[in-house]
Amino acid sequence: MVRIKNVIPDSPAYCCGAEKGDILKKINGHDIADVLDYMYYAAENNVVLELERDGSELVMTAEKDEYDDLGLEFDTFLMDSKRSCCNKCVFCFIDQMPPGMRETLYFKDDDARLSFLQGNYVTLTNLEQSDIDRIIKMKLNINVSVHTTNPELRVKMMNNRFAGEKLKYIRQLAEAGIQMNCQIVCCPGLNDGAELHRTLSDLYGLMPNISSLAVVPVGLSKYREGLYPLTPFDKETASAAIDIIEKFQKQAYEEYGRRTFFPSDELYLLAERDIPSAENYEEYPQYENGVGMLRSLIDEFSSALEDAEWQGGERHVSIATGYLAYDTLKKLAEMAEKRFPKLKCGVCRIRNDFFGDTITVTGLITARDLISQLSDKSLGSELLISSSMLRSCSEVFLDDLTVNDVEESLKTVVRAVGNDGYELLDAIMGTGC
């Protein structure tokens, strides 16, 4: 049961008589606990609502097109509280953040409902058999943080005595035909090497219901006092991990016609290996996990550059990036400068003093590091930054300073750019919005 916060005017629910403040108890005879129940049972054309209003029971029927929304709004998107993580993973980045940051950054989400609705990855450790049965009934594909299929090691890595036992859910889901995207946060000395081989072998046995799998290297900040001792990847260990992953990738392609298993871009950069071709990434199923982002950016930028035409006079801009992506962006900037002699595009490599210099990805750069390291540089008319540095749909950095704060400190315009080669070239050239 959940209280209705608002009924959208002229919606199917509005037209059948539902009102703000009513309590939604059942849809088509089924109890409603959260948004998954609501969406699943309200998908039909004729929807019978059982409501409670001022202590009275009401039954009404809403007519609509199949899958159209009923028009009911609730206090939260999930119609329930968000489920937090019950693990204390040895590699968790939230445990490695400095104190004093905004409260939302310390919330550990592990909510399976957000896996279906927003693509979040979940460990399955806070699910029960009834949750798995509901997923199977509703035929909901899911994103799973596996990390290892060794039960004892999973318990150790997640600091959760049930973590190994919950691996059975992955097999149940696969046997029921549920498609899973999986991820592994790989930690040298823990779940790499033979353990990584074991995990990929076990998951390969669940094909074709493993849609894709990404292996990403552990990120280690300077705030690890009292935490499990971990070491970062280096060239040798990153290369060894790639060799294991590519072995299964080749096997999957030969047997199933798709590669399925992917090393993250970061592993290729750490190993000092070339980023594979676009063909290797197929439809970029693990793009949001940092798999194929650089290849996509390079190819889009190259394609955009072929058709671009310079307009106007001389232009000087700068790009701020982390250490890992620096060489790639430097090459793209040089390509643009070669094509357009009136263009000067500097690329500034930002050291992550906020989290520590072992953090080399662009998305974790803060405003303070931008200001401190660029204040004495000639940046031109604009400083281009990755939109991944900013809070979603905002102009706020991780350290709670804003784009405006950076602009005022550096005395230049700051433009956030998405991971899109066409958008990047537009920003470099000063075209687009």
Side-chain angles (χ1 to χ4, degrees):
M1 296 189 299
V2 62
R3 188 174 297 276
I4 297 170
K5 180 182 179 180
N6 185 44
V7 182
I8 298 173
D10 300 323
S11 66
Y14 179 91
C15 293
C16 76
E19 296 180 3
K20 174 183 176 181
D22 289 350
I23 295 174
L24 175 62
K25 300 180 70 175
K26 293 186 178 183
I27 293 180
N28 290 343
H30 299 281
D31 293 332
I32 302 301
D34 60 21
V35 67
L36 293 187
D37 290 334
Y38 174 73
M39 294 174 67
Y40 183 75
Y41 294 116
E44 299 179 13
N45 297 90
N46 295 314
V47 180
V48 179
L49 303 177
E50 295 183 38
L51 307 175
E52 180 181 316
R53 182 184 300 164
D54 299 327
S56 299
E57 303 289 331
L58 301 174
V59 178
M60 54 191 68
T61 300
E63 296 182 357
K64 63 181 187 61
D65 291 334
E66 191 174 12
Y67 301 115
D68 278 0
D69 186 58
L70 273 172
L72 300 179
E73 295 179 342
F74 307 91
D75 284 333
T76 65
F77 170 65
L78 292 172
M79 302 167 59
D80 189 14
S81 299
K82 190 182 294 186
R83 294 177 184 172
S84 62
C85 183
C86 57
N87 311 312
K88 192 170 177 58
C89 297
V90 297
F91 51 80
C92 181
F93 197 79
I94 292 176
D95 291 336
Q96 303 178 65
M97 294 201 299
M101 302 178 74
R102 61 179 176 269
E103 186 176 347
T104 55
L105 292 175
Y106 299 102
F107 181 78
K108 299 181 182 181
D109 159 53
D110 196 18
D111 198 317
R113 297 166 298 184
L114 293 178
S115 180
F116 319 124
L117 299 170
Q118 297 180 351
N120 296 24
Y121 280 77
V122 293
T123 66
L124 307 179
T125 56
N126 61 11
L127 298 188
E128 302 299 333
Q129 186 61 51
S130 58
D131 298 307
I132 299 301
D133 293 340
R134 181 169 75 151
I135 291 169
I136 293 171
K137 176 183 179 181
M138 294 183 176
K139 297 181 174 61
L140 299 171
N141 298 332
I142 189 170
N143 300 331
V144 182
S145 292
V146 180
H147 307 315
T148 177
T149 55
N150 178 335
E152 293 77 18
L153 180 57
R154 199 169 197 251
V155 168
K156 177 181 179 179
M157 292 186 69
M158 294 186 179
N159 278 307
N160 184 324
R161 62 192 178 97
F162 300 110
E165 173 190 330
K166 300 291 184 172
L167 286 168
K168 66 184 179 183
Y169 292 157
I170 297 177
R171 179 166 294 278
Q172 286 182 29
L173 292 169
E175 290 174 350
I178 300 300
Q179 291 291 309
M180 287 171 281
N181 294 303
C182 299
Q183 71 172 1
I184 295 170
V185 175
C186 203
C187 307
L190 270 181
N191 61 336
D192 64 340
E195 290 292 349
L196 177 61
H197 191 281
R198 169 182 172 161
T199 298
L200 298 187
S201 179
D202 288 344
L203 293 175
Y204 191 90
L206 302 180
M207 294 280 283
N209 293 307
I210 302 300
S211 297
S212 67
L213 180 142
V215 180
V216 301
V218 62
L220 304 176
S221 83
K222 64 183 181 183
Y223 300 97
R224 288 196 57 82
E225 185 176 352
L227 299 179
Y228 186 94
L230 292 174
T231 56
F233 273 92
D234 56 21
K235 180 179 179 180
E236 181 179 356
T237 52
S239 291
I242 290 172
D243 289 342
I244 293 170
I245 301 161
E246 288 187 341
K247 171 190 171 183
F248 285 93
Q249 187 181 83
K250 182 175 183 292
Q251 184 178 345
Y253 186 73
E254 290 173 352
E255 186 171 354
Y256 295 100
R258 54 187 174 88
R259 291 170 175 83
T260 306
F261 301 88
F262 300 96
S264 71
D265 294 359
E266 191 174 352
L267 278 174
Y268 281 109
L269 295 175
L270 289 168
E272 299 178 16
R273 293 192 185 183
D274 291 338
I275 299 293
S277 66
E279 180 185 24
N280 188 81
Y281 294 106
E282 297 170 346
E283 296 180 356
Y284 293 89
Q286 289 277 354
Y287 183 86
E288 298 301 328
N289 244 333
V291 175
M293 277 189 169
L294 285 179
R295 171 48 58 198
S296 176
L297 180 68
I298 292 166
D299 289 354
E300 289 170 350
F301 189 90
S302 300
S303 178
L305 196 58
E306 288 180 4
D307 300 327
E309 294 183 4
W310 189 259
Q311 298 178 359
E314 294 185 353
R315 177 170 169 79
H316 176 199
V317 296
S318 296
I319 302 173
T321 183
Y323 271 48
L324 270 179
Y326 173 79
D327 288 340
T328 299
L329 286 171
K330 181 70 173 172
K331 289 177 182 177
L332 297 183
E334 289 171 351
M335 288 166 56
E337 288 179 333
K338 183 177 180 180
R339 175 74 188 276
F340 303 120
K342 292 183 178 180
L343 172 66
K344 179 182 178 182
C345 182
V347 181
C348 305
R349 182 164 45 189
I350 305 299
R351 181 183 63 256
N352 200 317
D353 292 330
F354 188 87
F355 287 108
D357 58 16
T358 54
I359 300 298
T360 55
V361 295
T362 300
L364 293 177
I365 291 174
T366 60
R368 286 178 175 84
D369 281 342
L370 289 174
I371 292 168
S372 65
Q373 296 176 45
L374 298 178
S375 59
D376 61 346
K377 289 182 169 49
S378 175
L379 301 173
S381 59
E382 282 188 295
L383 173 66
L384 310 181
I385 64 169
S386 170
S387 58
S388 64
M389 297 182 194
L390 304 175
R391 186 178 182 180
S392 179
C393 301
S394 78
E395 295 195 339
V396 180
F397 290 85
L398 278 168
D399 56 0
D400 283 337
L401 295 183
T402 66
V403 168
N404 185 62
D405 293 325
V406 178
E407 288 179 330
E408 290 184 355
S409 296
L410 299 181
K411 309 302 182 192
T412 192
V413 174
V414 174
R415 185 195 297 201
V417 182
N419 193 76
D420 180 286
Y422 295 93
E423 185 180 343
L424 177 59
L425 183 61
D426 277 343
I428 288 173
M429 293 175 64
T431 56
C433 56

mmCIF file of all heavy atoms in Angstrom, residues 20-57:
data_model
loop_
_atom_site.group_PDB
_atom_site.id
_atom_site.type_symbol
_atom_site.label_atom_id
_atom_site.label_comp_id
_atom_site.label_asym_id
_atom_site.label_seq_id
_atom_site.Cartn_x
_atom_site.Cartn_y
_atom_site.Cartn_z
ATOM 1 N N LYS A 20 -5.734 12.716 -5.175
ATOM 2 C CA LYS A 20 -4.582 12.939 -4.310
ATOM 3 C C LYS A 20 -4.943 12.555 -2.873
ATOM 4 O O LYS A 20 -6.015 12.898 -2.380
ATOM 5 C CB LYS A 20 -4.172 14.408 -4.372
ATOM 6 C CG LYS A 20 -3.081 14.809 -3.400
ATOM 7 C CD LYS A 20 -2.808 16.296 -3.503
ATOM 8 C CE LYS A 20 -1.782 16.735 -2.472
ATOM 9 N NZ LYS A 20 -1.509 18.198 -2.543
ATOM 10 N N GLY A 21 -4.054 11.825 -2.203
ATOM 11 C CA GLY A 21 -4.299 11.403 -0.830
ATOM 12 C C GLY A 21 -4.880 10.009 -0.707
ATOM 13 O O GLY A 21 -4.862 9.415 0.378
ATOM 14 N N ASP A 22 -5.407 9.465 -1.799
ATOM 15 C CA ASP A 22 -5.908 8.092 -1.778
ATOM 16 C C ASP A 22 -4.749 7.129 -1.496
ATOM 17 O O ASP A 22 -3.584 7.398 -1.841
ATOM 18 C CB ASP A 22 -6.531 7.700 -3.124
ATOM 19 C CG ASP A 22 -7.858 8.401 -3.379
ATOM 20 O OD1 ASP A 22 -8.392 9.030 -2.445
ATOM 21 O OD2 ASP A 22 -8.346 8.322 -4.522
ATOM 22 N N ILE A 23 -5.052 5.994 -0.905
ATOM 23 C CA ILE A 23 -4.054 4.951 -0.690
ATOM 24 C C ILE A 23 -4.274 3.860 -1.729
ATOM 25 O O ILE A 23 -5.369 3.289 -1.829
ATOM 26 C CB ILE A 23 -4.154 4.363 0.725
ATOM 27 C CG1 ILE A 23 -3.807 5.435 1.758
ATOM 28 C CG2 ILE A 23 -3.219 3.156 0.876
ATOM 29 C CD1 ILE A 23 -4.008 4.988 3.192
ATOM 30 N N LEU A 24 -3.255 3.613 -2.540
ATOM 31 C CA LEU A 24 -3.316 2.566 -3.559
ATOM 32 C C LEU A 24 -3.000 1.229 -2.887
ATOM 33 O O LEU A 24 -1.900 1.026 -2.373
ATOM 34 C CB LEU A 24 -2.321 2.853 -4.673
ATOM 35 C CG LEU A 24 -2.189 1.781 -5.751
ATOM 36 C CD1 LEU A 24 -3.522 1.583 -6.486
ATOM 37 C CD2 LEU A 24 -1.079 2.144 -6.730
ATOM 38 N N LYS A 25 -3.965 0.326 -2.892
ATOM 39 C CA LYS A 25 -3.781 -0.963 -2.219
ATOM 40 C C LYS A 25 -3.490 -2.087 -3.215
ATOM 41 O O LYS A 25 -2.577 -2.878 -3.022
ATOM 42 C CB LYS A 25 -5.024 -1.300 -1.394
ATOM 43 C CG LYS A 25 -5.336 -0.263 -0.320
ATOM 44 C CD LYS A 25 -6.573 -0.618 0.481
ATOM 45 C CE LYS A 25 -6.330 -1.830 1.376
ATOM 46 N NZ LYS A 25 -7.511 -2.084 2.247
ATOM 47 N N LYS A 26 -4.289 -2.138 -4.283
ATOM 48 C CA LYS A 26 -4.110 -3.229 -5.247
ATOM 49 C C LYS A 26 -4.361 -2.744 -6.664
ATOM 50 O O LYS A 26 -5.100 -1.785 -6.884
ATOM 51 C CB LYS A 26 -5.062 -4.390 -4.933
ATOM 52 C CG LYS A 26 -4.766 -5.113 -3.628
ATOM 53 C CD LYS A 26 -5.661 -6.340 -3.472
ATOM 54 C CE LYS A 26 -5.323 -7.088 -2.172
ATOM 55 N NZ LYS A 26 -6.121 -8.334 -2.032
ATOM 56 N N ILE A 27 -3.719 -3.418 -7.600
ATOM 57 C CA ILE A 27 -4.003 -3.226 -9.020
ATOM 58 C C ILE A 27 -4.309 -4.597 -9.605
ATOM 59 O O ILE A 27 -3.493 -5.526 -9.490
ATOM 60 C CB ILE A 27 -2.809 -2.585 -9.763
ATOM 61 C CG1 ILE A 27 -2.580 -1.147 -9.275
ATOM 62 C CG2 ILE A 27 -3.050 -2.601 -11.269
ATOM 63 C CD1 ILE A 27 -1.414 -0.448 -9.955
ATOM 64 N N ASN A 28 -5.484 -4.717 -10.213
ATOM 65 C CA ASN A 28 -5.920 -5.995 -10.787
ATOM 66 C C ASN A 28 -5.780 -7.140 -9.786
ATOM 67 O O ASN A 28 -5.377 -8.258 -10.135
ATOM 68 C CB ASN A 28 -5.157 -6.307 -12.073
ATOM 69 C CG ASN A 28 -5.561 -5.381 -13.201
ATOM 70 O OD1 ASN A 28 -6.604 -4.730 -13.135
ATOM 71 N ND2 ASN A 28 -4.741 -5.292 -14.235
ATOM 72 N N GLY A 29 -6.094 -6.842 -8.528
ATOM 73 C CA GLY A 29 -6.090 -7.864 -7.490
ATOM 74 C C GLY A 29 -4.744 -8.155 -6.859
ATOM 75 O O GLY A 29 -4.643 -8.998 -5.965
ATOM 76 N N HIS A 30 -3.685 -7.453 -7.287
ATOM 77 C CA HIS A 30 -2.336 -7.702 -6.775
ATOM 78 C C HIS A 30 -1.913 -6.587 -5.820
ATOM 79 O O HIS A 30 -2.110 -5.398 -6.102
ATOM 80 C CB HIS A 30 -1.330 -7.777 -7.925
ATOM 81 C CG HIS A 30 -1.613 -8.873 -8.901
ATOM 82 N ND1 HIS A 30 -1.281 -10.186 -8.658
ATOM 83 C CD2 HIS A 30 -2.221 -8.846 -10.123
ATOM 84 C CE1 HIS A 30 -1.661 -10.933 -9.701
ATOM 85 N NE2 HIS A 30 -2.240 -10.141 -10.597
ATOM 86 N N ASP A 31 -1.326 -6.985 -4.689
ATOM 87 C CA ASP A 31 -0.809 -6.000 -3.747
ATOM 88 C C ASP A 31 0.290 -5.169 -4.397
ATOM 89 O O ASP A 31 1.094 -5.677 -5.200
ATOM 90 C CB ASP A 31 -0.238 -6.698 -2.507
ATOM 91 C CG ASP A 31 -1.320 -7.376 -1.675
ATOM 92 O OD1 ASP A 31 -2.467 -6.901 -1.715
ATOM 93 O OD2 ASP A 31 -1.003 -8.371 -1.003
ATOM 94 N N ILE A 32 0.343 -3.887 -4.030
ATOM 95 C CA ILE A 32 1.339 -2.978 -4.596
ATOM 96 C C ILE A 32 2.274 -2.514 -3.483
ATOM 97 O O ILE A 32 1.856 -1.836 -2.543
ATOM 98 C CB ILE A 32 0.671 -1.760 -5.266
ATOM 99 C CG1 ILE A 32 -0.296 -2.230 -6.354
ATOM 100 C CG2 ILE A 32 1.729 -0.818 -5.837
ATOM 101 C CD1 ILE A 32 0.337 -3.046 -7.455
ATOM 102 N N ALA A 33 3.553 -2.896 -3.599
ATOM 103 C CA ALA A 33 4.540 -2.526 -2.589
ATOM 104 C C ALA A 33 5.480 -1.436 -3.075
ATOM 105 O O ALA A 33 5.953 -0.624 -2.282
ATOM 106 C CB ALA A 33 5.358 -3.749 -2.178
ATOM 107 N N ASP A 34 5.724 -1.402 -4.384
ATOM 108 C CA ASP A 34 6.694 -0.434 -4.893
ATOM 109 C C ASP A 34 6.471 -0.215 -6.382
ATOM 110 O O ASP A 34 5.506 -0.709 -6.970
ATOM 111 C CB ASP A 34 8.135 -0.889 -4.603
ATOM 112 C CG ASP A 34 8.470 -2.230 -5.253
ATOM 113 O OD1 ASP A 34 7.784 -2.628 -6.216
ATOM 114 O OD2 ASP A 34 9.427 -2.889 -4.796
ATOM 115 N N VAL A 35 7.392 0.508 -6.999
ATOM 116 C CA VAL A 35 7.237 0.914 -8.389
ATOM 117 C C VAL A 35 7.233 -0.274 -9.355
ATOM 118 O O VAL A 35 6.594 -0.227 -10.404
ATOM 119 C CB VAL A 35 8.328 1.939 -8.774
ATOM 120 C CG1 VAL A 35 9.710 1.294 -8.767
ATOM 121 C CG2 VAL A 35 8.043 2.585 -10.125
ATOM 122 N N LEU A 36 7.955 -1.345 -9.022
ATOM 123 C CA LEU A 36 7.968 -2.499 -9.919
ATOM 124 C C LEU A 36 6.592 -3.145 -9.990
ATOM 125 O O LEU A 36 6.111 -3.484 -11.082
ATOM 126 C CB LEU A 36 9.014 -3.515 -9.463
ATOM 127 C CG LEU A 36 10.468 -3.087 -9.571
ATOM 128 C CD1 LEU A 36 11.392 -4.255 -9.254
ATOM 129 C CD2 LEU A 36 10.797 -2.534 -10.950
ATOM 130 N N ASP A 37 5.965 -3.331 -8.833
ATOM 131 C CA ASP A 37 4.595 -3.852 -8.835
ATOM 132 C C ASP A 37 3.670 -2.927 -9.621
ATOM 133 O O ASP A 37 2.851 -3.374 -10.426
ATOM 134 C CB ASP A 37 4.068 -3.980 -7.398
ATOM 135 C CG ASP A 37 4.757 -5.086 -6.614
ATOM 136 O OD1 ASP A 37 5.251 -6.042 -7.240
ATOM 137 O OD2 ASP A 37 4.794 -4.979 -5.380
ATOM 138 N N TYR A 38 3.804 -1.647 -9.363
ATOM 139 C CA TYR A 38 2.943 -0.649 -10.020
ATOM 140 C C TYR A 38 3.086 -0.718 -11.544
ATOM 141 O O TYR A 38 2.094 -0.784 -12.275
ATOM 142 C CB TYR A 38 3.320 0.744 -9.510
ATOM 143 C CG TYR A 38 2.622 1.884 -10.209
ATOM 144 C CD1 TYR A 38 1.283 2.160 -9.983
ATOM 145 C CD2 TYR A 38 3.319 2.702 -11.100
ATOM 146 C CE1 TYR A 38 0.644 3.217 -10.620
ATOM 147 C CE2 TYR A 38 2.690 3.757 -11.746
ATOM 148 C CZ TYR A 38 1.352 4.005 -11.512
ATOM 149 O OH TYR A 38 0.729 5.044 -12.154
ATOM 150 N N MET A 39 4.311 -0.718 -12.030
ATOM 151 C CA MET A 39 4.532 -0.716 -13.475
ATOM 152 C C MET A 39 4.113 -2.034 -14.114
ATOM 153 O O MET A 39 3.541 -2.058 -15.212
ATOM 154 C CB MET A 39 6.011 -0.424 -13.770
ATOM 155 C CG MET A 39 6.458 0.972 -13.365
ATOM 156 S SD MET A 39 8.240 1.236 -13.577
ATOM 157 C CE MET A 39 8.397 1.160 -15.361
ATOM 158 N N TYR A 40 4.379 -3.125 -13.429
ATOM 159 C CA TYR A 40 4.096 -4.445 -14.003
ATOM 160 C C TYR A 40 2.598 -4.703 -14.096
ATOM 161 O O TYR A 40 2.081 -5.098 -15.144
ATOM 162 C CB TYR A 40 4.770 -5.520 -13.150
ATOM 163 C CG TYR A 40 4.619 -6.916 -13.683
ATOM 164 C CD1 TYR A 40 5.352 -7.350 -14.779
ATOM 165 C CD2 TYR A 40 3.737 -7.819 -13.081
ATOM 166 C CE1 TYR A 40 5.231 -8.645 -15.267
ATOM 167 C CE2 TYR A 40 3.597 -9.116 -13.552
ATOM 168 C CZ TYR A 40 4.356 -9.522 -14.649
ATOM 169 O OH TYR A 40 4.223 -10.808 -15.127
ATOM 170 N N TYR A 41 1.884 -4.456 -13.000
ATOM 171 C CA TYR A 41 0.463 -4.789 -12.974
ATOM 172 C C TYR A 41 -0.407 -3.729 -13.642
ATOM 173 O O TYR A 41 -1.572 -3.995 -13.977
ATOM 174 C CB TYR A 41 0.004 -5.018 -11.533
ATOM 175 C CG TYR A 41 0.644 -6.242 -10.918
ATOM 176 C CD1 TYR A 41 1.500 -6.138 -9.823
ATOM 177 C CD2 TYR A 41 0.406 -7.502 -11.455
ATOM 178 C CE1 TYR A 41 2.094 -7.269 -9.268
ATOM 179 C CE2 TYR A 41 1.002 -8.633 -10.907
ATOM 180 C CZ TYR A 41 1.845 -8.510 -9.824
ATOM 181 O OH TYR A 41 2.432 -9.626 -9.287
ATOM 182 N N ALA A 42 0.154 -2.543 -13.877
ATOM 183 C CA ALA A 42 -0.621 -1.480 -14.523
ATOM 184 C C ALA A 42 -0.386 -1.415 -16.027
ATOM 185 O O ALA A 42 -0.794 -0.467 -16.680
ATOM 186 C CB ALA A 42 -0.277 -0.131 -13.887
ATOM 187 N N ALA A 43 0.263 -2.425 -16.572
ATOM 188 C CA ALA A 43 0.617 -2.383 -17.993
ATOM 189 C C ALA A 43 -0.551 -2.721 -18.909
ATOM 190 O O ALA A 43 -0.508 -2.434 -20.100
ATOM 191 C CB ALA A 43 1.776 -3.350 -18.262
ATOM 192 N N GLU A 44 -1.603 -3.316 -18.360
ATOM 193 C CA GLU A 44 -2.707 -3.773 -19.201
ATOM 194 C C GLU A 44 -3.621 -2.621 -19.632
ATOM 195 O O GLU A 44 -3.518 -1.504 -19.135
ATOM 196 C CB GLU A 44 -3.506 -4.841 -18.445
ATOM 197 C CG GLU A 44 -2.669 -6.067 -18.092
ATOM 198 C CD GLU A 44 -3.464 -7.094 -17.323
ATOM 199 O OE1 GLU A 44 -4.718 -6.973 -17.269
ATOM 200 O OE2 GLU A 44 -2.846 -8.024 -16.753
ATOM 201 N N ASN A 45 -4.541 -2.938 -20.534
ATOM 202 C CA ASN A 45 -5.469 -1.921 -21.029
ATOM 203 C C ASN A 45 -6.503 -1.521 -19.978
ATOM 204 O O ASN A 45 -6.768 -0.336 -19.774
ATOM 205 C CB ASN A 45 -6.210 -2.430 -22.277
ATOM 206 C CG ASN A 45 -5.275 -2.695 -23.432
ATOM 207 O OD1 ASN A 45 -4.761 -3.793 -23.574
ATOM 208 N ND2 ASN A 45 -5.038 -1.689 -24.253
ATOM 209 N N ASN A 46 -7.098 -2.505 -19.322
ATOM 210 C CA ASN A 46 -8.088 -2.247 -18.283
ATOM 211 C C ASN A 46 -7.453 -2.523 -16.925
ATOM 212 O O ASN A 46 -7.012 -3.641 -16.649
ATOM 213 C CB ASN A 46 -9.326 -3.118 -18.479
ATOM 214 C CG ASN A 46 -10.063 -2.776 -19.759
ATOM 215 O OD1 ASN A 46 -10.287 -1.602 -20.048
ATOM 216 N ND2 ASN A 46 -10.428 -3.786 -20.522
ATOM 217 N N VAL A 47 -7.384 -1.506 -16.099
ATOM 218 C CA VAL A 47 -6.692 -1.599 -14.817
ATOM 219 C C VAL A 47 -7.685 -1.329 -13.696
ATOM 220 O O VAL A 47 -8.253 -0.238 -13.589
ATOM 221 C CB VAL A 47 -5.525 -0.591 -14.745
ATOM 222 C CG1 VAL A 47 -4.818 -0.691 -13.411
ATOM 223 C CG2 VAL A 47 -4.546 -0.839 -15.885
ATOM 224 N N VAL A 48 -7.902 -2.343 -12.865
ATOM 225 C CA VAL A 48 -8.806 -2.206 -11.726
ATOM 226 C C VAL A 48 -8.004 -1.733 -10.522
ATOM 227 O O VAL A 48 -7.075 -2.412 -10.059
ATOM 228 C CB VAL A 48 -9.510 -3.543 -11.405
ATOM 229 C CG1 VAL A 48 -10.425 -3.380 -10.189
ATOM 230 C CG2 VAL A 48 -10.311 -4.018 -12.614
ATOM 231 N N LEU A 49 -8.361 -0.552 -10.002
ATOM 232 C CA LEU A 49 -7.677 0.035 -8.853
ATOM 233 C C LEU A 49 -8.500 -0.190 -7.598
ATOM 234 O O LEU A 49 -9.708 0.085 -7.568
ATOM 235 C CB LEU A 49 -7.486 1.539 -9.058
ATOM 236 C CG LEU A 49 -6.736 1.995 -10.311
ATOM 237 C CD1 LEU A 49 -6.721 3.517 -10.377
ATOM 238 C CD2 LEU A 49 -5.328 1.443 -10.325
ATOM 239 N N GLU A 50 -7.827 -0.691 -6.564
ATOM 240 C CA GLU A 50 -8.460 -0.782 -5.248
ATOM 241 C C GLU A 50 -7.806 0.262 -4.357
ATOM 242 O O GLU A 50 -6.605 0.201 -4.076
ATOM 243 C CB GLU A 50 -8.293 -2.189 -4.660
ATOM 244 C CG GLU A 50 -9.025 -3.248 -5.468
ATOM 245 C CD GLU A 50 -8.922 -4.629 -4.863
ATOM 246 O OE1 GLU A 50 -8.961 -4.735 -3.616
ATOM 247 O OE2 GLU A 50 -8.797 -5.603 -5.636
ATOM 248 N N LEU A 51 -8.612 1.246 -3.953
ATOM 249 C CA LEU A 51 -8.107 2.391 -3.205
ATOM 250 C C LEU A 51 -8.779 2.477 -1.836
ATOM 251 O O LEU A 51 -9.855 1.921 -1.618
ATOM 252 C CB LEU A 51 -8.377 3.691 -3.978
ATOM 253 C CG LEU A 51 -7.904 3.776 -5.427
ATOM 254 C CD1 LEU A 51 -8.370 5.085 -6.054
ATOM 255 C CD2 LEU A 51 -6.389 3.649 -5.509
ATOM 256 N N GLU A 52 -8.126 3.225 -0.963
ATOM 257 C CA GLU A 52 -8.731 3.557 0.323
ATOM 258 C C GLU A 52 -8.767 5.074 0.441
ATOM 259 O O GLU A 52 -7.752 5.732 0.233
ATOM 260 C CB GLU A 52 -7.922 2.955 1.471
ATOM 261 C CG GLU A 52 -8.493 3.265 2.842
ATOM 262 C CD GLU A 52 -7.659 2.681 3.962
ATOM 263 O OE1 GLU A 52 -7.241 1.500 3.840
ATOM 264 O OE2 GLU A 52 -7.406 3.399 4.949
ATOM 265 N N ARG A 53 -9.953 5.622 0.758
ATOM 266 C CA ARG A 53 -10.111 7.066 0.900
ATOM 267 C C ARG A 53 -10.916 7.352 2.163
ATOM 268 O O ARG A 53 -12.056 6.944 2.265
ATOM 269 C CB ARG A 53 -10.817 7.652 -0.321
ATOM 270 C CG ARG A 53 -10.978 9.170 -0.290
ATOM 271 C CD ARG A 53 -11.773 9.651 -1.500
ATOM 272 N NE ARG A 53 -11.120 9.290 -2.742
ATOM 273 C CZ ARG A 53 -11.735 9.304 -3.943
ATOM 274 N NH1 ARG A 53 -13.023 9.640 -4.022
ATOM 275 N NH2 ARG A 53 -11.073 8.972 -5.037
ATOM 276 N N ASP A 54 -10.285 8.029 3.093
ATOM 277 C CA ASP A 54 -10.954 8.383 4.361
ATOM 278 C C ASP A 54 -11.566 7.158 5.033
ATOM 279 O O ASP A 54 -12.703 7.194 5.540
ATOM 280 C CB ASP A 54 -12.032 9.449 4.117
ATOM 281 C CG ASP A 54 -11.459 10.741 3.550
ATOM 282 O OD1 ASP A 54 -10.315 11.062 3.913
ATOM 283 O OD2 ASP A 54 -12.149 11.388 2.755
ATOM 284 N N GLY A 55 -10.852 6.043 5.001
ATOM 285 C CA GLY A 55 -11.320 4.834 5.670
ATOM 286 C C GLY A 55 -12.259 3.978 4.853
ATOM 287 O O GLY A 55 -12.620 2.872 5.270
ATOM 288 N N SER A 56 -12.668 4.465 3.677
ATOM 289 C CA SER A 56 -13.594 3.712 2.830
ATOM 290 C C SER A 56 -12.844 3.026 1.691
ATOM 291 O O SER A 56 -11.873 3.577 1.145
ATOM 292 C CB SER A 56 -14.665 4.644 2.242
ATOM 293 O OG SER A 56 -15.416 5.233 3.277
ATOM 294 N N GLU A 57 -13.297 1.826 1.319
ATOM 295 C CA GLU A 57 -12.703 1.081 0.217
ATOM 296 C C GLU A 57 -13.379 1.489 -1.095
ATOM 297 O O GLU A 57 -14.618 1.548 -1.176
ATOM 298 C CB GLU A 57 -12.872 -0.419 0.439
ATOM 299 C CG GLU A 57 -12.288 -0.931 1.748
ATOM 300 C CD GLU A 57 -10.763 -0.929 1.743
ATOM 301 O OE1 GLU A 57 -10.179 -1.079 0.653
ATOM 302 O OE2 GLU A 57 -10.160 -0.784 2.823
#
